[in-house]
PDB file of all heavy atoms in Angstrom:
ATOM      1  N   LEU A   8       0.836  -1.196   0.000  1.00 96.00           N
ATOM      2  CA  LEU A   8       0.000   0.000   0.000  1.00 96.00           C
ATOM      3  C   LEU A   8       0.874   1.251   0.000  1.00 96.00           C
ATOM      4  O   LEU A   8       0.553   2.258  -0.627  1.00 96.00           O
ATOM      5  CB  LEU A   8      -0.910  -0.017   1.239  1.00 96.00           C
ATOM      6  CG  LEU A   8      -1.886   1.145   1.399  1.00 96.00           C
ATOM      7  CD1 LEU A   8      -2.845   1.240   0.213  1.00 96.00           C
ATOM      8  CD2 LEU A   8      -2.679   1.001   2.698  1.00 96.00           C
ATOM      9  N   LEU A   9       1.998   1.172   0.714  1.00 97.00           N
ATOM     10  CA  LEU A   9       2.915   2.319   0.770  1.00 97.00           C
ATOM     11  C   LEU A   9       4.348   1.857   0.510  1.00 97.00           C
ATOM     12  O   LEU A   9       4.778   0.820   1.015  1.00 97.00           O
ATOM     13  CB  LEU A   9       2.829   3.015   2.130  1.00 97.00           C
ATOM     14  CG  LEU A   9       3.671   4.293   2.240  1.00 97.00           C
ATOM     15  CD1 LEU A   9       2.884   5.414   2.922  1.00 97.00           C
ATOM     16  CD2 LEU A   9       4.970   4.039   3.002  1.00 97.00           C
ATOM     17  N   VAL A  10       5.056   2.635  -0.301  1.00 96.00           N
ATOM     18  CA  VAL A  10       6.465   2.366  -0.585  1.00 96.00           C
ATOM     19  C   VAL A  10       7.243   3.669  -0.394  1.00 96.00           C
ATOM     20  O   VAL A  10       6.937   4.681  -1.024  1.00 96.00           O
ATOM     21  CB  VAL A  10       6.668   1.867  -2.038  1.00 96.00           C
ATOM     22  CG1 VAL A  10       8.154   1.635  -2.316  1.00 96.00           C
ATOM     23  CG2 VAL A  10       5.865   0.600  -2.296  1.00 96.00           C
ATOM     24  N   ALA A  11       8.220   3.641   0.513  1.00 96.00           N
ATOM     25  CA  ALA A  11       9.115   4.787   0.718  1.00 96.00           C
ATOM     26  C   ALA A  11      10.506   4.367   0.256  1.00 96.00           C
ATOM     27  O   ALA A  11      11.014   3.327   0.672  1.00 96.00           O
ATOM     28  CB  ALA A  11       9.142   5.185   2.190  1.00 96.00           C
ATOM     29  N   GLU A  12      11.098   5.169  -0.618  1.00 96.00           N
ATOM     30  CA  GLU A  12      12.408   4.835  -1.180  1.00 96.00           C
ATOM     31  C   GLU A  12      13.420   5.907  -0.818  1.00 96.00           C
ATOM     32  O   GLU A  12      13.224   7.090  -1.137  1.00 96.00           O
ATOM     33  CB  GLU A  12      12.316   4.721  -2.710  1.00 96.00           C
ATOM     34  CG  GLU A  12      11.401   3.604  -3.187  1.00 96.00           C
ATOM     35  CD  GLU A  12      11.153   3.664  -4.687  1.00 96.00           C
ATOM     36  OE1 GLU A  12      11.408   4.725  -5.297  1.00 96.00           O
ATOM     37  OE2 GLU A  12      10.684   2.658  -5.247  1.00 96.00           O
ATOM     38  N   LYS A  13      14.488   5.495  -0.134  1.00 96.00           N
ATOM     39  CA  LYS A  13      15.623   6.375   0.196  1.00 96.00           C
ATOM     40  C   LYS A  13      15.154   7.707   0.797  1.00 96.00           C
ATOM     41  O   LYS A  13      15.620   8.782   0.409  1.00 96.00           O
ATOM     42  CB  LYS A  13      16.457   6.642  -1.064  1.00 96.00           C
ATOM     43  CG  LYS A  13      17.076   5.382  -1.651  1.00 96.00           C
ATOM     44  CD  LYS A  13      18.367   5.011  -0.947  1.00 96.00           C
ATOM     45  CE  LYS A  13      19.027   3.771  -1.525  1.00 96.00           C
ATOM     46  NZ  LYS A  13      18.588   2.525  -0.896  1.00 96.00           N
ATOM     47  N   VAL A  14      14.212   7.604   1.743  1.00 96.00           N
ATOM     48  CA  VAL A  14      13.642   8.819   2.338  1.00 96.00           C
ATOM     49  C   VAL A  14      14.606   9.392   3.377  1.00 96.00           C
ATOM     50  O   VAL A  14      15.036   8.708   4.306  1.00 96.00           O
ATOM     51  CB  VAL A  14      12.260   8.522   2.963  1.00 96.00           C
ATOM     52  CG1 VAL A  14      11.762   9.710   3.757  1.00 96.00           C
ATOM     53  CG2 VAL A  14      11.263   8.188   1.862  1.00 96.00           C
ATOM     54  N   ARG A  15      14.907  10.662   3.185  1.00 94.00           N
ATOM     55  CA  ARG A  15      15.912  11.337   4.009  1.00 94.00           C
ATOM     56  C   ARG A  15      15.331  12.664   4.496  1.00 94.00           C
ATOM     57  O   ARG A  15      14.641  13.359   3.748  1.00 94.00           O
ATOM     58  CB  ARG A  15      17.161  11.580   3.155  1.00 94.00           C
ATOM     59  CG  ARG A  15      18.330  12.236   3.874  1.00 94.00           C
ATOM     60  CD  ARG A  15      19.487  12.402   2.875  1.00 94.00           C
ATOM     61  NE  ARG A  15      20.686  12.890   3.517  1.00 94.00           N
ATOM     62  CZ  ARG A  15      21.579  12.121   4.122  1.00 94.00           C
ATOM     63  NH1 ARG A  15      21.402  10.811   4.157  1.00 94.00           N
ATOM     64  NH2 ARG A  15      22.652  12.638   4.670  1.00 94.00           N
ATOM     65  N   LYS A  16      15.607  12.999   5.750  1.00 95.00           N
ATOM     66  CA  LYS A  16      15.204  14.311   6.265  1.00 95.00           C
ATOM     67  C   LYS A  16      16.346  14.914   7.062  1.00 95.00           C
ATOM     68  O   LYS A  16      16.850  14.294   8.006  1.00 95.00           O
ATOM     69  CB  LYS A  16      13.952  14.183   7.163  1.00 95.00           C
ATOM     70  CG  LYS A  16      13.443  15.533   7.685  1.00 95.00           C
ATOM     71  CD  LYS A  16      13.005  16.442   6.561  1.00 95.00           C
ATOM     72  CE  LYS A  16      12.554  17.809   7.057  1.00 95.00           C
ATOM     73  NZ  LYS A  16      12.279  18.745   5.949  1.00 95.00           N
ATOM     74  N   GLU A  17      16.739  16.103   6.645  1.00 95.00           N
ATOM     75  CA  GLU A  17      17.786  16.838   7.352  1.00 95.00           C
ATOM     76  C   GLU A  17      17.186  18.114   7.943  1.00 95.00           C
ATOM     77  O   GLU A  17      16.407  18.793   7.294  1.00 95.00           O
ATOM     78  CB  GLU A  17      18.924  17.199   6.391  1.00 95.00           C
ATOM     79  CG  GLU A  17      19.620  16.004   5.773  1.00 95.00           C
ATOM     80  CD  GLU A  17      20.639  16.408   4.705  1.00 95.00           C
ATOM     81  OE1 GLU A  17      20.957  17.616   4.617  1.00 95.00           O
ATOM     82  OE2 GLU A  17      21.103  15.522   3.964  1.00 95.00           O
ATOM     83  N   PHE A  18      17.577  18.413   9.176  1.00 93.00           N
ATOM     84  CA  PHE A  18      17.226  19.686   9.808  1.00 93.00           C
ATOM     85  C   PHE A  18      18.543  20.419  10.033  1.00 93.00           C
ATOM     86  O   PHE A  18      19.305  20.065  10.931  1.00 93.00           O
ATOM     87  CB  PHE A  18      16.522  19.470  11.146  1.00 93.00           C
ATOM     88  CG  PHE A  18      15.189  18.787  11.033  1.00 93.00           C
ATOM     89  CD1 PHE A  18      15.058  17.430  11.298  1.00 93.00           C
ATOM     90  CD2 PHE A  18      14.064  19.498  10.646  1.00 93.00           C
ATOM     91  CE1 PHE A  18      13.837  16.797  11.193  1.00 93.00           C
ATOM     92  CE2 PHE A  18      12.828  18.870  10.536  1.00 93.00           C
ATOM     93  CZ  PHE A  18      12.715  17.519  10.808  1.00 93.00           C
ATOM     94  N   GLY A  19      18.829  21.428   9.180  1.00 90.00           N
ATOM     95  CA  GLY A  19      20.148  22.044   9.253  1.00 90.00           C
ATOM     96  C   GLY A  19      21.173  20.983   8.882  1.00 90.00           C
ATOM     97  O   GLY A  19      21.068  20.316   7.867  1.00 90.00           O
ATOM     98  N   GLY A  20      22.138  20.750   9.734  1.00 86.00           N
ATOM     99  CA  GLY A  20      23.144  19.728   9.466  1.00 86.00           C
ATOM    100  C   GLY A  20      22.795  18.375  10.047  1.00 86.00           C
ATOM    101  O   GLY A  20      23.519  17.397   9.840  1.00 86.00           O
ATOM    102  N   LEU A  21      21.673  18.301  10.781  1.00 90.00           N
ATOM    103  CA  LEU A  21      21.315  17.053  11.463  1.00 90.00           C
ATOM    104  C   LEU A  21      20.494  16.151  10.543  1.00 90.00           C
ATOM    105  O   LEU A  21      19.490  16.582   9.967  1.00 90.00           O
ATOM    106  CB  LEU A  21      20.504  17.377  12.723  1.00 90.00           C
ATOM    107  CG  LEU A  21      19.944  16.196  13.507  1.00 90.00           C
ATOM    108  CD1 LEU A  21      21.069  15.482  14.255  1.00 90.00           C
ATOM    109  CD2 LEU A  21      18.879  16.652  14.477  1.00 90.00           C
ATOM    110  N   VAL A  22      20.911  14.907  10.424  1.00 91.00           N
ATOM    111  CA  VAL A  22      20.158  13.928   9.628  1.00 91.00           C
ATOM    112  C   VAL A  22      19.208  13.186  10.559  1.00 91.00           C
ATOM    113  O   VAL A  22      19.637  12.427  11.425  1.00 91.00           O
ATOM    114  CB  VAL A  22      21.109  12.925   8.928  1.00 91.00           C
ATOM    115  CG1 VAL A  22      20.296  11.894   8.145  1.00 91.00           C
ATOM    116  CG2 VAL A  22      22.059  13.662   7.992  1.00 91.00           C
ATOM    117  N   ALA A  23      17.893  13.419  10.392  1.00 92.00           N
ATOM    118  CA  ALA A  23      16.894  12.789  11.267  1.00 92.00           C
ATOM    119  C   ALA A  23      16.493  11.411  10.753  1.00 92.00           C
ATOM    120  O   ALA A  23      16.285  10.491  11.540  1.00 92.00           O
ATOM    121  CB  ALA A  23      15.666  13.679  11.386  1.00 92.00           C
ATOM    122  N   THR A  24      16.356  11.261   9.436  1.00 91.00           N
ATOM    123  CA  THR A  24      16.165   9.934   8.830  1.00 91.00           C
ATOM    124  C   THR A  24      17.123   9.839   7.654  1.00 91.00           C
ATOM    125  O   THR A  24      17.205  10.749   6.832  1.00 91.00           O
ATOM    126  CB  THR A  24      14.716   9.683   8.351  1.00 91.00           C
ATOM    127  OG1 THR A  24      14.346  10.691   7.415  1.00 91.00           O
ATOM    128  CG2 THR A  24      13.732   9.688   9.496  1.00 91.00           C
ATOM    129  N   ASP A  25      17.813   8.700   7.572  1.00 92.00           N
ATOM    130  CA  ASP A  25      18.950   8.571   6.667  1.00 92.00           C
ATOM    131  C   ASP A  25      18.672   7.525   5.586  1.00 92.00           C
ATOM    132  O   ASP A  25      18.876   6.331   5.790  1.00 92.00           O
ATOM    133  CB  ASP A  25      20.192   8.180   7.500  1.00 92.00           C
ATOM    134  CG  ASP A  25      21.482   8.304   6.703  1.00 92.00           C
ATOM    135  OD1 ASP A  25      21.410   8.668   5.517  1.00 92.00           O
ATOM    136  OD2 ASP A  25      22.545   8.026   7.277  1.00 92.00           O
ATOM    137  N   ASP A  26      18.137   7.997   4.437  1.00 93.00           N
ATOM    138  CA  ASP A  26      17.914   7.139   3.266  1.00 93.00           C
ATOM    139  C   ASP A  26      17.176   5.844   3.625  1.00 93.00           C
ATOM    140  O   ASP A  26      17.644   4.737   3.343  1.00 93.00           O
ATOM    141  CB  ASP A  26      19.248   6.807   2.588  1.00 93.00           C
ATOM    142  CG  ASP A  26      19.919   8.057   2.019  1.00 93.00           C
ATOM    143  OD1 ASP A  26      19.254   9.104   1.959  1.00 93.00           O
ATOM    144  OD2 ASP A  26      21.100   7.988   1.649  1.00 93.00           O
ATOM    145  N   VAL A  27      16.006   5.982   4.245  1.00 94.00           N
ATOM    146  CA  VAL A  27      15.239   4.822   4.706  1.00 94.00           C
ATOM    147  C   VAL A  27      14.380   4.259   3.579  1.00 94.00           C
ATOM    148  O   VAL A  27      13.605   4.984   2.944  1.00 94.00           O
ATOM    149  CB  VAL A  27      14.347   5.207   5.921  1.00 94.00           C
ATOM    150  CG1 VAL A  27      13.440   4.044   6.301  1.00 94.00           C
ATOM    151  CG2 VAL A  27      15.206   5.622   7.106  1.00 94.00           C
ATOM    152  N   ASP A  28      14.534   2.960   3.323  1.00 95.00           N
ATOM    153  CA  ASP A  28      13.626   2.215   2.440  1.00 95.00           C
ATOM    154  C   ASP A  28      12.612   1.502   3.325  1.00 95.00           C
ATOM    155  O   ASP A  28      12.993   0.867   4.315  1.00 95.00           O
ATOM    156  CB  ASP A  28      14.397   1.164   1.630  1.00 95.00           C
ATOM    157  CG  ASP A  28      15.259   1.788   0.550  1.00 95.00           C
ATOM    158  OD1 ASP A  28      14.817   2.771  -0.068  1.00 95.00           O
ATOM    159  OD2 ASP A  28      16.388   1.295   0.339  1.00 95.00           O
ATOM    160  N   PHE A  29      11.329   1.599   2.954  1.00 93.00           N
ATOM    161  CA  PHE A  29      10.291   1.097   3.865  1.00 93.00           C
ATOM    162  C   PHE A  29       9.042   0.783   3.058  1.00 93.00           C
ATOM    163  O   PHE A  29       8.643   1.568   2.197  1.00 93.00           O
ATOM    164  CB  PHE A  29      10.005   2.196   4.906  1.00 93.00           C
ATOM    165  CG  PHE A  29       9.010   1.828   5.947  1.00 93.00           C
ATOM    166  CD1 PHE A  29       9.366   1.050   7.040  1.00 93.00           C
ATOM    167  CD2 PHE A  29       7.697   2.276   5.859  1.00 93.00           C
ATOM    168  CE1 PHE A  29       8.442   0.726   8.026  1.00 93.00           C
ATOM    169  CE2 PHE A  29       6.764   1.956   6.837  1.00 93.00           C
ATOM    170  CZ  PHE A  29       7.149   1.182   7.923  1.00 93.00           C
ATOM    171  N   THR A  30       8.439  -0.358   3.312  1.00 94.00           N
ATOM    172  CA  THR A  30       7.183  -0.699   2.636  1.00 94.00           C
ATOM    173  C   THR A  30       6.146  -1.153   3.652  1.00 94.00           C
ATOM    174  O   THR A  30       6.494  -1.686   4.715  1.00 94.00           O
ATOM    175  CB  THR A  30       7.375  -1.835   1.607  1.00 94.00           C
ATOM    176  OG1 THR A  30       7.889  -2.992   2.275  1.00 94.00           O
ATOM    177  CG2 THR A  30       8.319  -1.428   0.489  1.00 94.00           C
ATOM    178  N   ILE A  31       4.883  -0.919   3.322  1.00 95.00           N
ATOM    179  CA  ILE A  31       3.778  -1.401   4.156  1.00 95.00           C
ATOM    180  C   ILE A  31       2.873  -2.263   3.272  1.00 95.00           C
ATOM    181  O   ILE A  31       2.204  -1.745   2.369  1.00 95.00           O
ATOM    182  CB  ILE A  31       2.958  -0.244   4.761  1.00 95.00           C
ATOM    183  CG1 ILE A  31       3.862   0.692   5.583  1.00 95.00           C
ATOM    184  CG2 ILE A  31       1.827  -0.789   5.629  1.00 95.00           C
ATOM    185  CD1 ILE A  31       3.154   1.920   6.100  1.00 95.00           C
ATOM    186  N   PRO A  32       2.865  -3.584   3.502  1.00 95.00           N
ATOM    187  CA  PRO A  32       1.974  -4.441   2.715  1.00 95.00           C
ATOM    188  C   PRO A  32       0.506  -4.102   2.993  1.00 95.00           C
ATOM    189  O   PRO A  32       0.133  -3.791   4.132  1.00 95.00           O
ATOM    190  CB  PRO A  32       2.303  -5.857   3.216  1.00 95.00           C
ATOM    191  CG  PRO A  32       3.645  -5.742   3.879  1.00 95.00           C
ATOM    192  CD  PRO A  32       3.694  -4.356   4.438  1.00 95.00           C
ATOM    193  N   ARG A  33      -0.296  -4.154   1.959  1.00 95.00           N
ATOM    194  CA  ARG A  33      -1.731  -3.892   2.104  1.00 95.00           C
ATOM    195  C   ARG A  33      -2.338  -4.881   3.101  1.00 95.00           C
ATOM    196  O   ARG A  33      -2.106  -6.082   3.008  1.00 95.00           O
ATOM    197  CB  ARG A  33      -2.395  -4.043   0.734  1.00 95.00           C
ATOM    198  CG  ARG A  33      -3.800  -3.518   0.631  1.00 95.00           C
ATOM    199  CD  ARG A  33      -4.295  -3.680  -0.791  1.00 95.00           C
ATOM    200  NE  ARG A  33      -3.594  -2.822  -1.724  1.00 95.00           N
ATOM    201  CZ  ARG A  33      -3.966  -1.560  -1.984  1.00 95.00           C
ATOM    202  NH1 ARG A  33      -5.007  -1.040  -1.386  1.00 95.00           N
ATOM    203  NH2 ARG A  33      -3.288  -0.837  -2.845  1.00 95.00           N
ATOM    204  N   GLY A  34      -3.078  -4.367   4.087  1.00 94.00           N
ATOM    205  CA  GLY A  34      -3.763  -5.223   5.054  1.00 94.00           C
ATOM    206  C   GLY A  34      -2.910  -5.667   6.228  1.00 94.00           C
ATOM    207  O   GLY A  34      -3.375  -6.425   7.073  1.00 94.00           O
ATOM    208  N   ALA A  35      -1.679  -5.171   6.325  1.00 95.00           N
ATOM    209  CA  ALA A  35      -0.774  -5.607   7.395  1.00 95.00           C
ATOM    210  C   ALA A  35      -0.833  -4.669   8.597  1.00 95.00           C
ATOM    211  O   ALA A  35      -1.324  -3.539   8.511  1.00 95.00           O
ATOM    212  CB  ALA A  35       0.668  -5.664   6.875  1.00 95.00           C
ATOM    213  N   VAL A  36      -0.327  -5.161   9.738  1.00 96.00           N
ATOM    214  CA  VAL A  36      -0.027  -4.306  10.890  1.00 96.00           C
ATOM    215  C   VAL A  36       1.493  -4.285  11.002  1.00 96.00           C
ATOM    216  O   VAL A  36       2.132  -5.306  11.218  1.00 96.00           O
ATOM    217  CB  VAL A  36      -0.649  -4.843  12.196  1.00 96.00           C
ATOM    218  CG1 VAL A  36      -0.201  -3.988  13.384  1.00 96.00           C
ATOM    219  CG2 VAL A  36      -2.168  -4.851  12.116  1.00 96.00           C
ATOM    220  N   VAL A  37       2.066  -3.099  10.802  1.00 97.00           N
ATOM    221  CA  VAL A  37       3.523  -2.925  10.826  1.00 97.00           C
ATOM    222  C   VAL A  37       3.874  -2.001  11.993  1.00 97.00           C
ATOM    223  O   VAL A  37       3.212  -0.982  12.208  1.00 97.00           O
ATOM    224  CB  VAL A  37       4.025  -2.321   9.495  1.00 97.00           C
ATOM    225  CG1 VAL A  37       5.519  -2.039   9.547  1.00 97.00           C
ATOM    226  CG2 VAL A  37       3.701  -3.248   8.319  1.00 97.00           C
ATOM    227  N   SER A  38       4.892  -2.383  12.755  1.00 96.00           N
ATOM    228  CA  SER A  38       5.348  -1.542  13.867  1.00 96.00           C
ATOM    229  C   SER A  38       6.713  -0.946  13.555  1.00 96.00           C
ATOM    230  O   SER A  38       7.576  -1.616  12.980  1.00 96.00           O
ATOM    231  CB  SER A  38       5.429  -2.342  15.168  1.00 96.00           C
ATOM    232  OG  SER A  38       4.138  -2.613  15.660  1.00 96.00           O
ATOM    233  N   LEU A  39       6.865   0.312  13.961  1.00 95.00           N
ATOM    234  CA  LEU A  39       8.135   1.031  13.821  1.00 95.00           C
ATOM    235  C   LEU A  39       8.644   1.256  15.233  1.00 95.00           C
ATOM    236  O   LEU A  39       7.972   1.897  16.044  1.00 95.00           O
ATOM    237  CB  LEU A  39       7.861   2.360  13.113  1.00 95.00           C
ATOM    238  CG  LEU A  39       9.022   3.184  12.568  1.00 95.00           C
ATOM    239  CD1 LEU A  39       9.825   2.395  11.548  1.00 95.00           C
ATOM    240  CD2 LEU A  39       8.486   4.469  11.940  1.00 95.00           C
TER     241      LEU A  39
END
C-alpha cells in the first residue's frame, strides 16, 4: 500500500532519517 524509497530528512546539518527504504503491505499491521 505504501512504498518509501531512500527517504531522508535533514534539519540544518542534522540527519533525522537517513535514506530509509520502507514498505507497508496492504492489510498488514507494521510496527516502527
